[in-house]
Amino acid sequence: MRTAEYPAPERILLHLSDTHLRAPATPRLFDSVDGAAHLAATIGVIESSGIRPDAIVVTGDLADLGEPGAYAALRALVEPFAERIGARVLWVMGNHDERGAFRAGLYDEASDARPVDRVDELDGLRVITLDTSVPGHHHGELRDEQLAWLADLLATPAPLGTILAMHHPPVPSVLPLAASVELHDQRRLAAVLRGTDVRAIIAGHLHYSTFATFAGIPVSVASSTCYAQDLTVPVGGTRPQDGAQAFNLVHVYDDTVVHSVVPVDAPNVLEHIDADEAGRRLREAGVAPLTVARKDAPTEPIPLLR
């Protein structure tokens, strides 16, 4: 028998993005796309898989028009699901979101126009959610005070490192028109992040899955649960489609972070090997699992600033 190269992951994140819910009275985008129905279908796929993430991170454009009713509908869908699977929910602001309604509808806080920046700890893994939205616009920006806040946080490393969650990804887009809504002055963010314990940046906004590096840090962008961009569009254009919806899984190991794209609709099943059969085949192949105890929370909690 040989031992597998890696143990189970230390932490797992479920990374959703761009749910674009509308208030129930007018639920459809493009006159046909029901974001709530698509999100419900996504939740069904995830729950049936049996995965148990530590947190669900939703990286912006939660509501399409920033309506309070849309946030209420979103919360009604996601929070019972999170409770059933034992996961926390971390919400991130996007350019379609409205800060006051976001705070009131999702965090039960007073309506406030300030950026919604937060930090949460998942038993030693720090997740920082950074608000890149600019009220009244669709591009992204970070204020001087946000960057100073981030630098202060990152001055103290976390036991399992940090994941930075934001809406506007600091990466190039393969669709030229996206340059009109990209994150501005990215070099300023890069200067703050270099040499820190940030192990991955997760984002949304683009409506397709993509990967890159920024300031030496891996970046993964989750597609939308609502609608996706068609990358086979003739070069130079854009073509949103009601199809190819997806989400990401983020598995955090001691020495690596694995990002996986999961399509919501994969109907052509060719074979199903259940867990018992997979275990039997591993034993037959002479492979034993590497069992390492999951790291507990540190004795001294890492600083949490809001």
Side-chain angles (χ1 to χ4, degrees):
M1 295 286 285
R2 74 170 184 86
T3 303
E5 296 288 330
Y6 295 96
E10 294 290 348
R11 305 290 180 268
I12 301 173
L13 303 180
L14 172 59
H15 178 196
L16 308 178
S17 199
D18 294 85
T19 52
H20 282 272
L21 262 66
R22 287 189 174 180
T26 55
R28 299 185 184 278
L29 291 77
F30 302 102
D31 297 323
S32 63
V33 179
D34 188 333
H38 283 321
L39 178 58
T42 301
I43 288 171
V45 167
I46 296 164
E47 196 160 11
S48 68
S49 76
I51 192 165
R52 292 294 181 264
D54 296 274
I56 302 165
V57 187
V58 193
T59 52
D61 282 1
L62 312 180
D64 188 56
L65 302 173
E67 304 158 292
Y71 293 115
L74 177 65
R75 194 170 181 176
L77 278 170
V78 174
E79 288 192 347
F81 160 60
E83 186 174 352
R84 290 193 299 271
I85 65 173
R88 293 168 62 181
V89 183
L90 308 181
W91 308 106
V92 183
M93 274 284 299
N95 52 286
H96 279 259
D97 292 306
E98 198 280 322
R99 287 173 179 165
F102 178 103
R103 270 199 170 92
L106 299 177
Y107 283 117
D108 296 323
E109 297 176 353
S111 177
D112 192 318
R114 292 175 302 163
V116 187
D117 300 324
R118 300 178 69 92
V119 55
D120 292 274
E121 183 188 346
L122 305 174
D123 291 333
L125 177 68
R126 180 167 54 193
V127 181
I128 298 174
T129 57
L130 201 57
D131 183 352
T132 56
S133 68
V134 183
H137 300 275
H138 289 294
H139 70 276
E141 292 179 3
L142 289 168
R143 299 179 179 182
D144 290 344
E145 55 266 33
Q146 289 179 277
L147 293 172
W149 173 83
L150 180 62
D152 285 345
L153 270 177
L154 295 177
T156 303
L160 296 182
T162 296
I163 304 292
L164 179 61
M166 54 201 295
H167 182 62
H168 296 81
V171 301
S173 172
V174 299
L175 296 175
L177 187 57
S180 65
V181 294
E182 65 188 349
L183 179 66
H184 290 187
D185 298 323
Q186 295 180 17
R187 65 188 183 281
R188 298 170 65 235
L189 176 62
V192 172
L193 295 182
R194 284 195 180 93
T196 67
D197 74 338
V198 175
R199 302 180 61 188
I201 300 170
I202 61 176
H205 189 50
L206 299 181
H207 286 248
Y208 62 87
S209 305
T210 194
F211 304 88
T213 57
F214 177 74
I217 300 166
V219 180
S220 71
V221 178
S223 187
S224 170
T225 64
C226 185
Y227 67 91
Q229 286 289 350
D230 179 4
L231 297 190
T232 66
V233 63
V235 173
T238 63
R239 189 165 58 195
Q241 59 184 339
D242 186 6
Q245 290 89 352
F247 60 92
N248 286 7
L249 292 174
V250 182
H251 289 78
V252 180
Y253 294 84
D254 251 351
D255 56 0
T256 192
V257 181
V258 178
H259 304 262
S260 305
V261 178
V262 186
V264 174
D265 184 17
N268 298 319
V269 176
L270 302 179
E271 184 181 17
H272 176 213
I273 298 171
D274 64 19
D276 290 340
E277 174 62 11
R280 187 193 68 78
R281 293 190 186 192
L282 283 170
R283 291 190 297 273
E284 188 177 77
V287 179
L290 175 57
T291 55
V292 176
R294 172 180 164 130
K295 286 187 174 64
D296 293 327
T299 304
E300 294 295 327
I302 58 178
L304 298 182
L305 305 179
R306 287 192 175 91

